[in-house]
Amino acid sequence: MAKRPLIFGILNVTPDSFSDGGLFTDVDSAVAHARAMVAAGADVIDVGGESTRPGAARIDADEEQKRVLPVVRALCGEGIVVSIDTMRAATATAAVSLGATYVNDVSGGLADPGMVTAVTHSPATYIAMHWRGDSESMEDLATYDNVTADVLSELGARVEFLMEHGLEPNRLWLDPGLGFAKDADHNWALLRDLDQLVALGYPVLIGASRKRFLSPFGETPADRDEATTTISVLAADAGAAAVRVHDVGGTARAFDVRDAWVRGEA
Ligand code: PMM
């Protein structure tokens, strides 16, 4: 059976993210929440300063950096492994210079032409997500002939571009981008076909946590943790390398159960 995925705990230092917007806007509360997620079993804390929920307006780079960099500095100072969730090269570069290990770019390098150089010239691992357009336009871009084939080929093009620009293959991860220019059926098809994305040979991150396509299983975002955790376990079985979640403790317990199943003992 595929090994236990890493758990990326979500830390949005934004006023407007769909699930945790406004909760962790000062450094102290953000750091406290990150520590709690690490204690609950997070391997990495994914720090984001710009909401990507459908319809969200973009903020400028200064505002993004004012939100995230003090938090990144504090977490790296405590030895916590940090991922910076940004589409901007300047923010990625600043966060990596403070010690961030991963650059999580929901645009896969498409939003900022400087991103590819920023990551190739850094020691960071780059997580390239499938993306077709920003939050303001993405709902109109959710048309596919065959969502799995189309996402695989569009991500494949990003891989080729990144390699041509000198990114080493062992510093690249991929993400199908659940909810980004995808309707509910697209997300479910991508999850059903996850083994095909894993077969490309790069570590795959899955970000399903509390998203709207889980609404049949929970009305509000906070009601969707069981559905999220079930997806995390199934994603683990399909070979995902990491899951990006709000409910770290529940995910860690579910992975403990899965490990007991694999070992034949608890
Ligand atoms: N989803 C959100 C934000 N960042 N990053 C990756 N790699 N994959 C995702 O699916 C993803 C992401 C959505 O917003 P949230 O931070 O409020 O969950």
Side-chain angles (χ1 to χ4, degrees):
M1 197 179 312
K3 66 179 196 199
R4 179 180 175 122
L6 296 180
I7 299 176
F8 281 49
I10 298 171
L11 183 60
N12 285 318
V13 282
T14 57
D16 57 344
S17 287
F18 78 97
S19 176
D20 54 355
L23 289 179
F24 311 113
T25 47
D26 67 280
V27 178
D28 288 348
S29 62
V31 169
H33 185 56
R35 285 190 193 129
M37 287 196 286
V38 169
D43 300 287
V44 180
I45 299 298
D46 187 46
V47 182
E50 182 176 28
S51 173
T52 51
R53 79 184 150 73
R58 299 238 26 210
I59 55 164
D60 66 33
D62 278 355
E63 176 62 25
E64 182 189 38
Q65 290 174 25
K66 247 189 273 169
R67 292 179 186 176
V68 295
L69 295 181
V71 177
V72 170
R73 182 182 291 112
L75 299 183
C76 292
E78 296 191 14
I80 293 174
V81 181
V82 168
S83 160
I84 179 71
D85 186 344
T86 185
M87 295 188 259
R88 289 197 176 85
T91 305
T93 300
V96 172
S97 74
L98 293 172
T101 303
Y102 298 87
V103 172
N104 174 22
D105 178 1
V106 299
S107 83
L110 289 168
D112 184 341
M115 185 60 101
V116 57
T117 315
V119 291
T120 50
H121 287 81
S122 84
T125 293
Y126 184 57
I127 304 171
M129 199 191 81
H130 177 262
W131 188 83
R132 282 185 163 182
D134 64 25
S135 306
E136 283 174 285
S137 62
M138 67 185 178
E139 290 196 319
D140 298 329
L141 301 171
T143 49
Y144 299 87
D145 289 331
N146 172 323
V147 67
T148 301
D150 293 354
V151 166
L152 254 57
S153 94
E154 288 167 35
L155 269 181
R158 299 313 301 154
V159 171
E160 222 168 277
F161 177 85
L162 291 159
M163 297 295 143
E164 274 166 14
H165 287 79
L167 186 68
E168 299 87 351
N170 64 357
R171 288 206 289 131
L172 178 61
W173 289 28
L174 299 177
D175 181 328
L178 301 176
F180 287 80
K182 293 165 195 94
D183 66 24
D185 289 348
H186 296 139
N187 296 328
W188 288 114
L190 286 164
L191 287 169
R192 178 197 62 206
D193 298 336
L194 180 54
D195 54 338
Q196 295 182 38
L197 179 55
V198 170
L200 294 183
Y202 297 93
V204 171
L205 175 88
I206 292 295
S209 193
R210 297 182 178 175
K211 284 182 179 171
R212 198 168 50 193
F213 77 105
L214 301 178
S215 60
F217 312 102
E219 202 176 309
T220 69
D223 295 334
R224 299 173 194 154
D225 284 336
E226 292 97 336
T228 302
T229 303
T230 307
I231 285 176
S232 293
V233 172
L234 294 168
D237 287 347
V243 294
R244 178 183 177 279
V245 296
H246 299 88
D247 176 22
V248 169
T251 305
R253 276 191 296 281
F255 286 169
D256 288 344
V257 173
R258 181 174 177 272
D259 288 346
W261 174 290
V262 173
R263 281 197 309 267
E265 61 180 16

